[in-house]
Amino acid sequence: RVKIVEVGPRDGLQNEKTLVPTEVKIHLIDMLSEAGLPVIEATSFVSPKWVPQMADQVEVMKGINRRPGVSYPVLTPNLKGFQAAVKAGAAEVAIFGAASELFSKKNINCSVDESLQRFEEVTKAAKEAGVRVRGYVSCVLGCPYEGQVSPDKVAQVTKRLYSMGCYEISLGDTIGVGTPGGMTEMLEAVSREVPVDALAVHCHDTYGQALANILIALQMGISVVDSSVAGLGGCPYAQGASGNVATEDVVYMLHGLGIQTGVDLPKLMDAGAFICSSLNRKTSSKVAQAACKL
Amino acid sequence: MGNIPTTVKHCLSYEQLIQDYPWLGSRLQEEKCTLTREYPEYVKIIEVGPRDGLQNEKEMVPTRVKIQLINMLSETGLPVIEATSFVSSKWVPQMADHTEVLQAIHRSSHARYPVLTPNMHGFQDAVAAGATEVAVFGSASETFSRKNINCSIDDSMLRFEEVICTAKQQQIPVRGYVSCALGCPYEGPIEPTKVAEVVKRLYELGCYEVSLGDTIGVGTPGSMAKMLRYVMKEVPSSALAVHCHDTYGQALANILTALQMGICAVDSSVAGLGGCPYAQGASGNVSTEDVLYMLHGMGIKTGVDLSKVIEAGDFICKALNRKTNSKVAQARSKSS
């Protein structure tokens, strides 16, 4: 069995140029809940100054129909965001680190160490409040600024997030440059430090490698995969190129392998069709493209 | 074997290994689940863009453009480039200029230029035009065979036998294709035993290699592994190739699975030329650029220069006035 973590409403929409009305976001999340996804990243408690797309964070949290058994984590970059998230009813939060120093500096304006200290505040507060924390590590297979990233560095950062109390850490191929070779090497290094049960992969399809990379990760014991409905969310580092891997395509592969996900693919495709027509864009999912044209 | 989901285990060669050598089982239990996979050191890429790709593009392509495309592809180091098809121009107008194309291209000494020959007539024309390698196209699905080439699988094999025998006498190698290896647009799922049967027949008739085609791209690593297991009982992996379509985005994962099972020849199409005739507007052939990116990233040699393939892809896309289907080409042209 594989757990799909649907990041479309947060990671996906955050990287789409068109601003999406709140009711559309809420409807999307509700449709995704109906499709059987077990985890749906709902929004981000980051300052609207930096990410205007997520400015309606509180409204979205309060507006969605939470399906029993489904988790709706939200991003919380710091303690302030965490407090606002809990106030708005969040039961799970996520923190976002990097395996690359340059990326950390450019993205969140501080070194990897400093960011980890910030996150420790969040994980402490979360423990006290009984809130689960998921960790993300970006640039695990390459960085837009540094180029190659050492698997040991990835392992170090992952280990720290795990020791801080993250129940799961999602390893992100942020610019999609990874291939099965690099994925294997990186996962070998990381799984020496953190149990494979606590790991997830977040592959980008910028170079078309995502499904192959996910397959390798599954073969190495990973059983949690992040993906984005309709492949929402382009790549901010390669204008016009694709970003997140499409949930429909991942589910198609997993079901074809006889792996259970609990996801209803036709309902998922409905959600994808809905958000694409709202965004006035074509789907990035090949399954969706093929299915609607047969 | 650690935390690998049970249902994925059947894809792994370890299972076969444990079946064959039961004493290994306990030793493997102690291993951590990090697998050292063995991949081929070298993978041969069979570039099908100029034939399979262009044949499935709506736009008619001028002869000089086809020639230039093939010449550019020859410069990339590609070892095999499917140049054209000696099929009746009544059926496939895009390939009507087959003789001109074959005679005008610069043939690199490092490459081979097979051409499709559906029957003796086509074969004779191909040889007269200078062909030094030909290909025949069978199907694992009866319905597809009847709809596509107007005859049963058995009848098509008789036709091919003629071609292959004559080719053998003239020392012209013949490559075989089997379409619908992982599913048929008419029949749905295809039994791996049927695929194995057809592949075996082509191999025994004398094809040096048989390319297994996922014609409608519905295959996944699960069905690919199953099909290959059956086929490899009949034909050695060194005589097999995979021809994956990316209609459902599964191509690279399927190719990876094939490599893990010992296949080391992969068909692909520059810029992912050639849509799917069964799903209007959906994609078809997997892009050579994306395959190369994966293989090179894994340290597998191909002898091909990726940037030159991207250039060839740019050229043909401009000529066709269409966007590339290759994600690598898209990313490279747009990165800051």
Side-chain angles (χ1 to χ4, degrees):
Chain A
R1 197 179 173 101
V2 163
K3 178 174 80 173
I4 304 269
V5 174
E6 171 59 50
V7 301
R10 202 279 308 166
D11 189 3
L13 292 183
Q14 186 168 313
N15 285 300
E16 292 286 329
K17 289 189 213 129
T18 322
L19 266 183
V20 176
T22 309
E23 68 270 13
V24 169
K25 287 183 186 131
I26 291 171
H27 190 55
L28 172 65
I29 294 171
D30 288 345
M31 287 183 88
L32 292 168
S33 301
E34 287 294 300
L37 287 154
V39 184
I40 303 166
E41 207 181 46
T43 185
S44 178
F45 280 78
V46 69
S47 163
K49 207 177 26 162
W50 297 118
V51 187
Q53 180 79 279
M54 299 285 129
D56 54 4
Q57 54 211 202
V58 178
E59 269 188 86
V60 168
M61 277 313 279
K62 297 209 169 144
I64 55 177
N65 276 338
R66 297 207 211 187
R67 201 164 188 224
V70 179
S71 189
Y72 299 88
V74 300
L75 235 69
T76 52
N78 48 38
L79 195 55
K80 180 161 167 233
F82 174 78
Q83 286 156 346
V86 172
K87 200 160 158 219
E92 181 173 327
V93 299
I95 52 183
F96 226 104
S100 150
E101 282 296 343
L102 264 176
F103 188 86
S104 189
K105 287 220 162 68
K106 294 228 175 194
N107 215 38
I108 51 176
N109 233 354
C110 64
S111 73
V112 171
D113 268 337
E114 281 163 1
S115 72
L116 291 172
Q117 280 168 26
R118 225 182 263 177
F119 298 147
E120 220 153 356
E121 287 181 7
V122 174
T123 52
K124 273 207 188 94
K127 233 185 249 177
E128 282 163 25
V131 169
R132 292 214 305 178
V133 183
R134 187 183 205 238
Y136 280 91
V137 181
S138 52
C139 297
V140 301
L141 295 176
C143 169
Y145 311 107
E146 281 184 17
Q148 289 212 3
V149 174
S150 135
D152 285 329
K153 178 80 181 180
V154 179
Q156 263 174 48
V157 178
T158 310
K159 186 177 181 183
R160 280 206 52 190
L161 286 170
Y162 184 66
S163 323
M164 262 187 237
C166 291
Y167 76 93
E168 187 173 274
I169 294 106
S170 173
L171 305 165
D173 181 12
T174 307
I175 43 172
V177 288
T179 62
M183 173 64 86
T184 305
E185 224 192 311
M186 184 274 295
L187 285 179
E188 271 170 3
V190 175
S191 59
R192 279 196 281 267
E193 305 293 337
V194 176
V196 81
D197 291 350
L199 298 174
V201 287
H202 183 113
C203 298
H204 276 198
D205 205 35
T206 320
Y207 288 78
Q209 309 295 305
L211 284 190
N213 289 339
I214 289 170
L215 182 63
I216 287 287
L218 294 177
Q219 291 176 343
M220 293 183 74
I222 303 290
S223 56
V224 183
V225 176
D226 296 4
S227 59
S228 177
V229 61
L232 289 182
C235 181
Y237 305 96
Q239 269 303 58
S242 66
N244 284 309
V245 67
T247 307
E248 298 92 317
D249 300 357
V250 175
V251 170
Y252 185 91
M253 179 172 81
L254 295 176
H255 289 184
L257 275 164
I259 296 173
Q260 287 176 2
T261 61
V263 178
D264 180 328
L265 185 51
K267 285 190 177 161
L268 177 63
M269 293 203 288
D270 285 344
F274 163 73
I275 190 63
C276 286
S277 73
S278 313
L279 280 168
N280 196 24
R281 68 162 262 177
K282 287 197 186 135
T283 181
S284 289
S285 155
K286 290 222 159 162
V287 169
Q289 284 169 31
C292 75
K293 309 252 170 120
L294 272 168
Chain B
M1 291 243 284
N3 300 332
I4 298 166
T6 322
T7 40
V8 176
K9 282 181 189 172
H10 74 269
C11 296
L12 307 177
S13 57
Y14 269 36
E15 208 202 25
Q16 199 59 45
L17 199 62
I18 294 173
Q19 265 180 38
D20 294 335
Y21 303 100
W23 53 267
L24 257 183
S26 52
R27 192 101 57 97
L28 290 171
Q29 293 295 337
E30 293 152 35
E31 264 184 29
K32 277 195 86 172
C33 76
T34 52
L35 306 163
T36 39
R37 220 153 249 308
E38 273 186 24
Y39 290 103
E41 269 184 38
Y42 170 81
V43 164
K44 177 176 74 173
I45 304 278
I46 295 95
E47 172 58 51
V48 301
R51 201 281 308 166
D52 190 5
L54 292 183
Q55 187 170 313
N56 286 300
E57 290 287 327
K58 289 192 216 127
E59 293 261 333
M60 283 295 288
V61 176
T63 307
R64 58 182 163 71
V65 170
K66 287 182 186 137
I67 293 166
Q68 191 174 345
L69 172 65
I70 295 171
N71 288 343
M72 286 180 85
L73 292 169
S74 296
E75 293 290 302
T76 65
L78 282 159
V80 185
I81 302 167
E82 207 181 47
T84 186
S85 177
F86 282 79
V87 69
S88 161
S89 48
K90 210 179 25 165
W91 300 116
V92 187
Q94 181 78 279
M95 298 285 129
D97 53 6
H98 37 64
T99 303
E100 264 190 272
V101 169
L102 195 55
Q103 290 182 338
I105 52 175
H106 290 149
R107 298 204 210 186
S108 160
S109 53
H110 305 293
R112 292 149 63 162
Y113 301 86
V115 298
L116 237 69
T117 53
N119 48 38
M120 271 310 287
H121 182 67
F123 175 77
Q124 283 155 349
D125 285 349
V127 174
T132 48
E133 183 172 325
V134 300
V136 296
F137 224 102
S139 171
S141 153
E142 276 297 342
T143 316
F144 190 85
S145 189
R146 282 176 206 275
K147 294 226 175 200
N148 216 38
I149 52 176
N150 234 354
C151 65
S152 70
I153 296 178
D154 274 343
D155 285 345
S156 73
M157 291 293 146
L158 290 172
R159 237 181 252 181
F160 300 148
E161 194 170 358
E162 252 197 297
V163 172
I164 298 170
C165 279
T166 316
K168 242 189 239 174
Q169 285 162 9
Q170 302 185 28
Q171 283 159 342
I172 291 179
V174 183
R175 185 180 206 240
Y177 281 91
V178 177
S179 56
C180 299
L182 295 176
C184 170
Y186 312 106
E187 288 183 19
I190 298 289
E191 281 299 323
T193 43
K194 183 72 185 183
V195 181
E197 211 188 286
V198 178
V199 176
K200 185 180 181 181
R201 282 180 78 176
L202 284 169
Y203 182 65
E204 285 177 348
L205 280 175
C207 290
Y208 75 91
E209 188 173 270
V210 182
S211 174
L212 307 163
D214 182 12
T215 306
I216 45 171
V218 289
T220 61
S223 54
M224 171 64 86
K226 190 174 178 195
M227 183 274 293
L228 283 177
R229 269 203 305 277
Y230 278 87
V231 172
M232 282 163 59
K233 281 193 198 133
E234 309 293 340
V235 176
S237 60
S238 51
L240 296 171
V242 288
H243 183 115
C244 298
H245 277 197
D246 205 35
T247 321
Y248 291 78
Q250 308 296 305
L252 284 190
N254 291 341
I255 290 169
L256 183 64
T257 301
L259 296 178
Q260 289 177 348
M261 294 181 72
I263 303 295
C264 45
V266 175
D267 298 2
S268 58
S269 178
V270 60
L273 289 181
C276 180
Y278 305 97
Q280 271 302 58
S283 65
N285 284 308
V286 69
S287 307
T288 303
E289 297 92 318
D290 299 359
V291 174
L292 286 173
Y293 185 89
M294 179 172 82
L295 297 176
H296 292 177
M298 292 166 69
I300 295 172
K301 296 196 178 73
T302 61
V304 183
D305 182 332
L306 173 56
S307 41
K308 290 194 172 152
V309 177
I310 296 177
E311 277 173 32
D314 280 344
F315 163 75
I316 192 62
C317 287
K318 275 205 184 76
L320 282 167
N321 196 24
R322 66 162 268 178
K323 287 197 188 138
T324 181
N325 272 341
S326 157
K327 290 221 159 165
V328 170
Q330 284 170 33
R332 287 278 170 93
S333 73
K334 310 242 172 129
S335 38
S336 39

